[in-house]
């Protein structure tokens, strides 16, 4: 059966979240109107993307991610998405592409975000980024945004290391440690990054870790757009799989 495929487990709640966002953006009046979606979530087999990019592990997460994609494809997935920003870093993403069948349509979530901004917010130039240390160090968003004439604004390294990354990864208060109940400490630390980016002139802020939108569900803060890559990925997957099913929202 032909389906949309989702690589889950990066993190586990991000996979569930992108499926919900596919359903939320689907034109459907009955169960049968919804699109078929398959997900494989095997988090214990996928090495941490940031640890690999920072040299803390030698095993490229691409090795098992590509196996998951091949399994999804064998199960009928014709278009596949990865709701993990850090997995789109060049050393990981290029290795994945090398290892999967050529007929697999693997969407690049980061590029889809840039295309979305250009289409729906053509007046925007300065785009703020919040992310993991891996995405920050790899410069994933600056690379793709610059291709589309957009200026990426990142937080300082001090804010990144002391506030943004711990808000995601801390075992005490981070979003990954308890995605069902977001701590006030995690939100406070992310807000430090948002305030910095707004003061630097960001017209929109990309929540560039798929865990961050679990904490910030609003579309704007102080009239600044918050851009959710998982929602954009969901929209792009629908467009690729069956354009007529997309609800016309932006």
């Amino acid at each position: 059966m032909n389906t949309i495929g989702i690589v889950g487990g990066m993190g586990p709640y991000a996979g569930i979240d992108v499926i919900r966002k596919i359903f939320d953006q689907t034109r459907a009046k009955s169960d049968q109107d919804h699109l078929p979606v398959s997900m494989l979530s095997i988090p214990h087999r996928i090495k941490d993307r940031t640890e690999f990019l920072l040299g803390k592990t030698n095993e490229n997460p691409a090795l098992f991610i590509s196996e998951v994609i091949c399994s999804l494809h064998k199960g009928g997935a014709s278009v596949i998405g990865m709701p993990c920003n850090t997995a789109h870093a060049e050393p990981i993403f290029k290795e994945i592409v090398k290892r999967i069948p050529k007929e697999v349509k693997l969407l690049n979530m980061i590029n889809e975000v840039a295309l979305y901004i250009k289409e729906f917010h053509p007046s925007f130039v300065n785009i703020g980024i919040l992310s993991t240390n891996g995405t920050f160090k790899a410069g994933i968003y600056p690379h793709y945004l610059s291709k589309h004439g957009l200026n990426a604004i990142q937080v300082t390294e001090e804010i990144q290391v002391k506030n943004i990354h711990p808000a995601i990864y801390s075992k005490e208060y981070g979003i990954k440690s308890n995605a069902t109940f977001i701590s006030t400490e995690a939100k406070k630390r992310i807000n430090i990054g948002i305030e910095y980016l707004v003061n630097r002139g960001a017209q929109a802020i990309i929540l560039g870790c798929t865990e961050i939108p679990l904490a910030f569900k609003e579309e704007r803060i102080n009239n600044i757009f918050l851009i959710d890559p998982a929602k954009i990925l969901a929209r792009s997957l629908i467009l690729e799989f069956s354009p007529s099913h997309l609800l016309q929202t932006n």
Side-chain angles (χ1 to χ4, degrees), residues 125-128 151 153 195-204 224:
V125 176
N126 298 316
I127 311 298
N151 176 42
I153 305 173
E195 183 178 354
Y196 175 85
L197 294 170
V198 170
N199 290 337
R200 289 287 309 278
Q203 295 163 285
I224 300 296

Side-chain angles (χ1 to χ4, degrees), residues 89-173:
E90 187 170 336
I92 301 173
F93 194 79
K94 286 186 78 171
E95 189 65 28
I96 292 170
V97 172
K98 279 169 51 179
R99 291 171 171 269
I100 60 176
K102 287 184 170 49
E103 60 268 25
V104 171
K105 179 70 174 182
L106 176 63
L107 296 190
N108 185 317
M109 181 171 67
I110 314 302
N111 196 54
E112 294 297 324
V113 170
L115 290 170
Y116 176 90
I117 294 170
K118 292 298 289 185
E119 180 178 356
F120 290 102
H121 303 289
S123 65
F124 288 1
V125 176
N126 298 316
I127 311 298
I129 315 295
L130 295 173
S131 67
T132 64
N133 281 351
T135 300
F136 177 87
K137 289 284 190 182
I140 303 171
Y141 273 103
H143 172 71
Y144 280 97
L145 292 179
S146 66
K147 287 184 173 183
H148 297 277
L150 298 168
N151 176 42
I153 305 173
Q154 299 196 111
V155 297
T156 65
E157 187 158 3
E158 181 180 8
I159 291 175
Q160 175 63 36
V161 172
K162 290 186 177 180
N163 292 287
I164 308 305
H165 192 78
I168 301 164
Y169 269 89
S170 170
K171 296 188 184 303
E172 296 176 10
Y173 56 81

Side-chain angles (χ1 to χ4, degrees), residues 47-65:
K47 294 297 183 182
D48 187 86
R49 284 67 61 202
T50 288
E51 288 197 355
F52 171 71
L53 292 172
L54 298 183
K56 295 181 179 179
T57 176
N58 292 325
E59 185 177 332
N60 193 330
L63 303 180
F64 193 72
I65 293 171

